[in-house]
Amino acid sequence: MNIDYSLLTIEMLTAGLALGLLVLSLVVPGDQRKGFGYLTAAGLAIIFAISFAFNGVNKEIIGGMYLIDDFGNFFKQLALVAGVLVALASIPYVEKLESYRGEYYSLLVFATLGMVVMVGAGDLISLYLGLELMTITFFVLTAFKRGDSKSAEAGIKYVLLGAMSSAILLYGLSMLYGVAKTTVISELVSTIQAGQISPALILGLMFLVGGFGFKISAVPFHMWSPDVYEGAPTPVTSYLAVGSKAAAFAAFVRIFMGGMPQIQEIWIALFAGLSALSMIIGNLIAIPQTNIKRMLAFSGVAQAGYILTGMVAGTNAGIKGLAFYLMIYVFATIGAFTVAIGFSNATGSDEIKDMAGLSQRNPLMAAVMLVCLLSMAGIPPLAGFAGKLFLFSAIVAQGKLWLALVGLIMSMVSVYYYLSVAKSMYMGEAADPSPIEIPGSLKLVLIVSMVVTIFLGIYPAPLTGLAEAAASVFALK
Amino acid sequence: MIGLGHFLVLGALLFCIGLYGALTKRNAVAVLMSIELMLNAVNINLVAFSRYLTPDYIAGQVFAVFTIIVAAAEVAVGLAIVIAIYRDRLSVELDDFDWLKW
């Protein structure tokens, strides 16, 4: 079998970067490893730039096990750009580590590689491998802070629940293989017939939705996320929040929209329930949270609910909205978490009440937090508004007005807790009014997230073009 | 005559035992062992499907090999984290890990 390896350039470069960092961290003496963060960010940025050469390439390799297409490429770019921002945001955190600085960045790149493989997978086996590469790396990263009890506790909770969810997902995949007699996703279309729905298939689908639902932290599989988000090092949390979620959504689209559009009515009902539950419960539990990371965790649960509406639509417009929303969610979430990184780096606190008066102590941080939170709430003219517009109009077009209404009402609820953070930052009196200094790398991440969030809100055309190309891979309505 | 159904029932039973253990055991190592049972149930399913439904197409067996490898990696990381938290709390009982609201 002839394999055109040039199609795998992004994957090979990412793997090379990860391995290179691992070797470098052995060779370079401990006190000279300051540049690793910038090296990682630069490497990922170069791979990100190269990935644009693959826009418009639609090929499959190794007999359909791996796909190079616009959909995969969109999500690869998402993983890479999130990787660049997280690598930069990690720099002040890694400087405080006593050891294993190089390994941290290497693991970060391996997590990116896992996402890249997962979104390009055209076969259940390669999908599973990518998923586990990402998840196992995140287990290590979550527990990375040695000697920190919270980090270790978050790590063990994530390992046990994550491994359990993987086992459930695998059981679903094995049932799917038994029913379809193939592991290639594109062949599922012809082997699963709409007329013959067996109980084994239903069981398999439910287990699949449960396993991936854990990764996107949709209710009722969200219980791990607040604890893990709070205990994990904050840069890792931000990557976990965006990367793991985006990759699992990409897998959802690949398997369900790409492999089983003929039995749509079954899985759409599942997703509609998950979506409504996540929007309602996520937003309501976010209200009483006092820790910024826990608040963002529950807001992430609610965001997963909004994004799931794209799956409920079951159309190309739904995929477009889903892809668009995930990309802007990357910038809004990493921006908000980076403010939390800068704040806890300077003051050692993650509590919302300690952020009182932040607008006087560091106007940039307060502004970025405000923009990111308002974008998540969907206030125009920020990017989140455009994203929600695409998603909700896609489900309204399918006659699911009730779900769009739930989404709109819960978005209004979310404005309350987002604005209470803003109120604390802008109206509150700081207990200690001394200005907060943040390192240059964090400033860069903050400015990039804010500019992108505002720019894509006013002029979303560049990203909608990419999202439309990604959605056009699937031949749906 | 032993057929596909027998293997699937065995797989389902093993999976349920594993899931029960993973949800009820209070010891982190025991939970990891229960998860291994769940993964092995999947392997039984995969190999049985591969043998009985697609004898000329061994994707199921390949899948099982990959599952075994990944499960080993997962447990290695899991046990390392168990050791890390044991050094910190001198316990592997899940009930003791309540610093973060569970």
Side-chain angles (χ1 to χ4, degrees):
Chain A
M1 189 166 17
N2 272 327
I3 300 172
D4 184 1
Y5 286 103
S6 67
L7 289 172
L8 291 174
T9 311
I10 300 172
E11 288 76 10
M12 290 194 290
L13 283 176
T14 315
L17 180 64
L19 293 170
L21 282 166
L22 202 57
V23 173
L24 265 184
S25 65
L26 290 175
V27 177
V28 178
D31 51 338
Q32 291 167 21
R33 292 182 194 162
K34 297 247 156 152
F36 269 49
Y38 292 103
L39 187 68
T40 314
L44 287 173
I46 291 169
I47 301 171
F48 174 65
I50 293 172
S51 74
F52 280 93
F54 287 91
N55 278 355
V57 179
N58 283 295
K59 289 212 172 101
E60 58 177 45
I61 46 175
I62 331 178
M65 273 202 95
Y66 200 76
L67 306 170
I68 311 291
D69 57 17
D70 277 327
F71 178 77
N73 209 33
F74 183 90
F75 280 91
K76 281 174 201 169
Q77 284 161 352
L78 186 152
L80 289 167
V81 78
V84 172
L85 293 176
V86 171
L88 286 173
S90 303
I91 290 172
Y93 163 73
V94 175
E95 266 173 22
K96 285 191 177 172
L97 287 177
E98 281 152 23
S99 51
Y100 303 114
R101 287 178 183 163
E103 285 84 347
Y104 175 88
Y105 290 112
S106 177
L107 284 169
L108 203 66
V109 180
F110 272 123
T112 315
L113 180 65
M115 290 169 209
V116 165
V117 171
M118 196 174 157
V119 302
D123 186 290
L124 300 178
I125 302 175
S126 41
L127 182 88
Y128 172 66
L129 272 185
L131 174 87
E132 287 297 327
L133 178 55
M134 175 184 84
T135 311
I136 295 178
T137 322
F138 272 131
F139 292 159
V140 184
L141 283 171
T142 303
F144 204 80
K145 213 169 183 179
R146 292 215 309 175
D148 176 12
S149 312
K150 275 191 168 183
S151 180
E153 189 178 317
I156 197 159
K157 284 177 178 177
Y158 191 33
V159 162
L160 296 181
L161 293 175
M164 210 191 310
S165 85
S166 295
I168 291 173
L169 173 76
L170 261 180
Y171 199 80
L173 291 179
S174 78
M175 287 323 238
L176 195 58
Y177 168 65
V179 172
K181 303 184 183 63
T182 178
T183 55
V184 182
I185 294 171
S186 58
E187 289 174 8
L188 296 178
V189 182
S190 53
T191 50
I192 298 178
Q193 259 115 40
Q196 314 163 331
I197 311 290
S198 60
L201 179 63
I202 304 278
L203 186 74
L205 290 188
M206 286 174 68
F207 278 22
L208 268 185
V209 170
F212 283 121
F214 174 88
K215 298 281 181 268
I216 62 171
S217 59
V219 176
F221 314 107
H222 67 292
M223 293 308 289
W224 62 280
S225 72
D227 282 355
V228 173
Y229 280 25
E230 186 186 346
T234 315
V236 175
T237 308
S238 66
Y239 207 23
L240 192 61
V242 298
S244 151
K245 195 172 277 180
F249 267 112
F252 261 154
V253 174
R254 278 247 195 255
I255 296 183
F256 289 93
M257 303 258 202
M260 299 183 247
Q262 69 278 25
I263 50 164
Q264 234 179 18
E265 64 276 16
I266 297 174
W267 50 262
I268 280 186
L270 278 177
F271 284 124
L274 278 189
S275 166
L277 272 178
S278 306
M279 286 193 268
I280 295 170
I281 295 180
N283 277 318
L284 290 182
I285 306 185
I287 295 173
Q289 299 304 324
T290 56
N291 180 299
I292 186 77
K293 286 162 85 177
R294 286 186 87 84
M295 192 276 269
L296 286 170
F298 282 109
S299 120
V301 172
Q303 302 287 329
Y306 301 137
I307 303 169
L308 271 171
T309 59
M311 293 295 296
V312 177
T315 56
N316 275 1
I319 304 177
K320 178 192 147 195
L322 180 148
F324 184 91
Y325 200 97
L326 278 167
M327 187 64 99
I328 57 172
Y329 178 68
V330 165
F331 292 98
T333 306
I334 292 184
F337 273 115
T338 307
V339 174
I341 295 170
F343 189 75
S344 75
N345 207 34
T347 63
S349 163
D350 289 326
E351 297 298 313
I352 294 173
K353 65 175 179 347
D354 293 337
M355 288 192 164
L358 187 64
S359 63
Q360 277 109 48
R361 300 178 72 186
N362 188 321
L364 175 69
M365 278 162 75
V368 173
M369 189 62 131
L370 182 67
V371 166
C372 292
L373 292 181
L374 289 184
S375 173
M376 284 192 229
I379 307 280
L382 298 167
F385 173 72
K388 277 187 186 163
L389 192 68
F390 291 142
L391 282 172
F392 292 163
S393 57
I395 47 170
V396 170
Q398 294 302 305
K400 302 231 169 32
L401 192 61
W402 67 274
L403 193 58
L405 278 178
V406 172
L408 284 178
I409 294 168
M410 293 329 287
S411 300
M412 280 179 237
V413 171
S414 72
V415 173
Y416 169 75
Y417 61 83
Y418 289 137
L419 277 186
S420 69
V421 177
K423 182 174 153 254
S424 157
M425 287 188 311
Y426 279 90
M427 314 286 209
E429 277 303 313
D432 164 26
S434 62
I436 293 176
E437 280 301 316
I438 52 168
S441 62
L442 285 191
K443 260 186 209 153
L444 185 63
V445 177
L446 291 179
I447 291 168
V448 167
S449 357
M450 181 164 70
V451 168
V452 171
T453 306
I454 296 174
F455 174 77
L456 287 177
I458 300 166
Y459 183 62
L463 186 55
T464 40
L466 287 175
E468 245 160 44
S472 67
V473 170
F474 298 92
L476 300 163
K477 273 174 280 178
Chain B
M1 179 65 192
I2 291 186
L4 176 60
H6 294 89
F7 285 102
L8 293 188
V9 168
L10 173 66
L13 277 179
L14 203 55
F15 188 81
C16 291
I17 295 170
L19 189 61
Y20 176 78
L23 294 174
T24 55
K25 287 282 174 195
R26 303 322 301 166
N27 183 305
V29 179
V31 174
L32 277 176
M33 285 163 63
S34 305
I35 291 167
E36 281 298 293
L37 280 187
M38 293 164 78
L39 291 169
N40 282 323
V42 173
N43 288 338
I44 291 176
N45 266 2
L46 286 171
V47 174
F49 279 135
S50 176
R51 170 71 181 74
Y52 284 96
L53 297 180
T54 57
D56 305 324
Y57 173 69
I58 54 160
Q61 301 190 24
V62 175
F63 204 157
V65 171
F66 275 109
T67 310
I68 293 167
I69 296 165
V70 170
E74 210 159 43
V75 167
V77 170
L79 285 177
I81 294 176
V82 169
I83 291 171
I85 200 159
Y86 179 77
R87 281 193 186 145
D88 188 61
R89 312 269 173 97
L90 295 180
S91 161
V92 291
E93 295 296 313
L94 294 180
D95 293 334
D96 295 337
F97 304 152
D98 54 0
W99 286 28
L100 301 161
K101 282 172 268 174
W102 179 238

